[in-house]
Amino acid sequence: MSAHQYDHGHTVAGWVGTGIASVGAVVAGAGVCFVSGVLIAGGLGIGVVALLVTWALHLAGWGKGPGIRPREEWGWRVRDSGARAGHDECLGCRLAGRRTAADSGRTAEVAVGVSVRGDVSPGGEPEAAAVGADSGR
């Protein structure tokens, strides 16, 4: 049985990213204390590295998407089975170009070879196209 009753989202990507970001915060804090622009920039750079490492680990399956995982995947050392296809409502997966089954259902053809992603309005036009059409008036 798991030590916790709820999926708190503890993952390898989360722990590694938090560790690297903590080091970056300490370096940037030391830069503030010692009035060193080099240390502040270095700390901010480490923060960017933490973001990229966390994102890469998430895409490799060591993170989790939004929502609650199945109970058998609650352990923090368990890889995410759905990471390869991408997660619904996950900005990181969308930025990486991973499409999910839910996303492909919300794609509407506007012109030959051009598709607009988004919810389709009752009139048949995608909301983005309908809003763009009204704003030109």
Side-chain angles (χ1 to χ4, degrees):
M1 183 165 115
S2 177
H4 48 82
Q5 297 297 318
Y6 304 100
D7 179 23
H8 293 285
H10 301 295
T11 62
V12 173
W15 284 106
V16 170
T18 300
I20 296 171
S22 297
V23 170
V26 168
V27 171
V32 170
C33 291
F34 296 123
V35 190
S36 171
V38 174
L39 283 177
I40 294 172
L44 294 175
I46 293 172
V48 170
V49 168
L51 177 73
L52 295 175
V53 167
T54 304
W55 186 31
L57 286 171
H58 171 78
L59 294 175
W62 291 109
K64 79 175 214 68
I68 298 175
R69 297 176 285 184
R71 190 170 186 88
E72 59 272 2
E73 293 182 7
W74 280 10
W76 72 277
R77 292 185 203 142
V78 178
R79 288 186 82 164
D80 183 11
S81 60
R84 211 171 263 273
H87 301 107
D88 293 334
E89 305 298 324
C90 178
L91 177 63
C93 290
R94 275 188 257 139
L95 289 174
R98 295 189 176 176
R99 297 182 59 193
T100 62
D103 286 342
S104 63
R106 293 191 311 219
T107 301
E109 290 291 326
V110 175
V112 178
V114 178
S115 63
V116 176
R117 294 179 62 194
D119 293 331
V120 177
S121 66
E125 285 185 280
E127 286 182 352
V131 171
D134 290 340
S135 63
R137 293 180 192 167

